[in-house]
Amino acid sequence: MQALKKMLHPVAKVKRGGKIIEVKASELVPGDVVFVDEGDSIPADLRVIEEMNLQTNDFLLRENRVR
């Protein structure tokens, strides 16, 4: 049930005021540093500034291309 709630109301882990907190994805602002862990969905358009063994699953992107 908790996983379904996360899909309906996506959250993001951001660093604000020196602490890492969770905020609604809709409350992200330019300049937020977002932390993404394995299995997390990307909550918004982001610029990757540091990564370790980054891999993505772009299956949905390929399926939605115009044929």
Side-chain angles (χ1 to χ4, degrees), residues 19-52:
K19 296 181 181 179
I20 297 177
I21 60 171
E22 282 192 354
V23 298
K24 293 179 186 176
S26 60
E27 295 175 357
L28 290 172
V29 296
D32 273 340
V33 175
V34 178
F35 294 84
V36 183
D37 291 321
E38 182 177 348
D40 287 352
S41 296
I42 305 298
D45 290 343
L46 301 174
R47 178 179 297 161
V48 177
I49 56 175
E50 186 176 322
E51 58 84 19
M52 291 176 52

Side-chain angles (χ1 to χ4, degrees), residues 58-67:
D58 62 350
F59 175 77
L60 291 175
L61 297 175
R62 285 185 270 144
E63 289 298 309
N64 291 325
R65 287 187 186 152
V66 177
R67 298 172 200 240

